[in-house]
């Protein structure tokens, strides 16, 4: 996969007997993916907010915000932004950037918010990593409940068909002197990424697991959740979605 889906469950360092940690909370997650294209992400936010024609000072929720890079940029565009993520470490880091119109909180995306938002963004394949598939429907319902009457939601997911077709089974990626041994495979309707590496004499193993949801799968979930799918795009420039060729599956709904 070209990006990291969030992990489904915490993994244990193979050589430790004393602590558990989730992959997303470790510094190694951020080391491995430090080369993500920030400019591309900003172009995406520019295109998306322009397309949605969000009002000035619109209330925007960045759902599964990580360390808040998109929240920060959206705030710079003039929006009132809340970044939410399950990772306490990431929220602690993101909160260093808080101001009067930018806030962060620890939150489970399966739970709706009491406040309502003009836009809710779930970006860069931050969906489909629950152990229980029913939680995907629960999350969609929570997003719907958290939208204002005229609000829009966006899920930016990988294009599963294209990802599986171009899956690299094994590779070694060296970042900051660490050799990350990566294996990818498809099993039981999920795309897995096994990550093994050694640092400072200790061996680590983590697994990323994301549900291989197609457009049809999302359409079925949205129908069940009472959600109206308005538009579909295939990349961050908002080009038309093509089932086999598009890099992304970007869905606009309400």
């Amino acid at each position: 996969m070209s990006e990291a889906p969030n992990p489904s469950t915490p993994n244990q360092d193979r050589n430790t007997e004393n602590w558990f940690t989730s992959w997303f909370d470790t510094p190694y997650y951020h080391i491995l993916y430090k080369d993500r294209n920030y400019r591309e992400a900003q172009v995406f936010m520019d295109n998306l907010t322009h397309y949605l024609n969000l009002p000035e000072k619109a209330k925007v929720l960045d759902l599964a915000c990580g360390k808040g890079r998109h929240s920060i940029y959206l705030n710079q565009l003039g929006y009132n932004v809340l970044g939410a993520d399950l990772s306490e470490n990431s929220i602690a880091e993101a909160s260093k950037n808080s101001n009067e119109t930018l806030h962060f909180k620890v939150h489970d995306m399966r739970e709706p918010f009491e406040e309502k938002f003009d836009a809710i963004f779930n970006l860069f394949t931050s969906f489909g990593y629950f152990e229980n598939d029913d939680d995907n429907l629960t999350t969609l319902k929570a997003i719907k409940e958290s939208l204002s009457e005229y609000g829009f939601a966006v899920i930016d997911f990988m294009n599963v068909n294209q990802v599986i077709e171009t899956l690299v089974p094994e590779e070694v990626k060296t970042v900051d002197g660490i050799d990350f041994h990566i294996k990818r495979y498809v099993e039981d309707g999920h795309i897995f990424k096994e990550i093994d590496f050694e640092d400072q004499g200790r061996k680590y193993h983590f697994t990323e697991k994301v549900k291989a949801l197609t457009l049809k799968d999302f359409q079925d979930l949205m129908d069940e959740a009472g959600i109206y799918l308005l538009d579909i795009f295939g990349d961050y420039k908002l080009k038309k979605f093509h089932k086999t060729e598009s890099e992304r599956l970007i869905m606009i709904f309400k």
Side-chain angles (χ1 to χ4, degrees), residues 225-238:
I227 283 168
Y228 183 56
L229 183 57
L230 299 167
D231 220 335
I232 308 160
F233 299 109
D235 65 16
Y236 296 140
K237 295 178 181 176
L238 303 189

Side-chain angles (χ1 to χ4, degrees), residues 2-230:
S2 60
E3 87 254 35
N6 286 333
S8 55
T9 55
N11 276 273
Q12 187 179 22
D13 171 347
R14 279 179 176 164
N15 273 13
T16 70
E17 61 291 317
N18 56 0
W19 58 278
F20 286 77
T21 182
S22 82
W23 172 223
F24 196 77
D25 260 350
T26 73
Y28 298 109
Y29 174 91
H30 300 285
I31 290 170
L32 178 58
Y33 297 112
K34 66 189 290 185
D35 63 351
R36 282 173 165 169
N37 190 325
Y38 287 84
R39 181 62 198 139
E40 183 183 56
Q42 291 181 351
V43 167
F44 181 33
M45 294 300 95
D46 290 341
N47 292 334
L48 200 52
T49 53
H50 180 73
Y51 169 82
L52 294 174
N53 195 24
L54 293 179
E56 191 177 352
K57 298 182 180 178
K59 289 181 66 176
V60 177
L61 171 63
D62 182 8
L63 193 59
C65 67
K67 288 189 175 182
R69 63 187 177 122
H70 307 109
S71 301
I72 293 165
Y73 185 67
L74 286 164
N75 182 241
Q76 289 170 352
L77 292 178
Y79 302 114
N80 191 333
V81 182
L82 174 64
D85 199 281
L86 196 58
S87 165
E88 293 183 9
N89 287 0
S90 291
I91 290 299
E93 187 67 28
S95 294
K96 295 175 183 177
N97 300 284
S98 297
N99 61 48
E100 286 185 7
T101 55
L102 175 61
H103 301 92
F104 295 94
K105 71 180 294 185
V106 176
H107 183 85
D108 188 321
M109 67 168 67
R110 290 167 289 192
E111 299 290 333
F113 285 80
E114 288 185 17
E115 56 189 304
K116 306 298 182 187
F117 297 91
D118 300 305
I120 298 176
F121 295 158
N122 179 249
L123 306 170
F124 294 88
T125 309
S126 299
F127 192 94
Y129 51 84
F130 298 112
E131 202 61 40
N132 184 347
D133 287 344
D134 292 341
D135 287 336
N136 295 322
L137 178 61
T138 301
T139 300
L140 284 177
K141 288 179 177 177
I143 290 173
K144 182 189 176 187
E145 286 180 43
S146 304
L147 282 173
S148 65
E149 184 180 357
Y150 301 105
F152 297 95
V154 180
I155 290 179
D156 161 36
F157 202 68
M158 60 181 167
N159 178 11
V160 164
N161 298 305
Q162 193 261 358
V163 165
I164 292 175
E165 185 66 30
T166 59
L167 204 67
V168 178
E170 292 191 36
E171 69 171 319
V172 179
K173 188 175 180 183
T174 303
V175 188
D176 290 357
I178 300 172
D179 295 331
F180 293 92
H181 296 261
I182 300 168
K183 292 183 179 179
R184 301 176 180 87
Y185 56 93
V186 182
E187 187 177 285
D188 296 331
H190 292 79
I191 297 171
F192 286 82
K193 185 187 288 186
E194 304 272 359
I195 302 163
D196 289 275
F197 58 94
E198 188 173 333
D199 185 41
Q200 297 180 1
R202 297 176 70 180
K203 292 182 179 179
Y204 297 86
H205 172 81
F206 293 97
T207 303
E208 294 176 3
K209 173 185 174 185
V210 66
K211 182 81 172 173
L213 294 164
T214 64
L215 175 57
K216 175 67 164 61
D217 293 328
F218 274 108
Q219 287 172 325
D220 291 344
L221 284 167
M222 288 179 180
D223 284 345
E224 194 172 346
I227 283 168
Y228 183 56
L229 183 57
L230 299 167

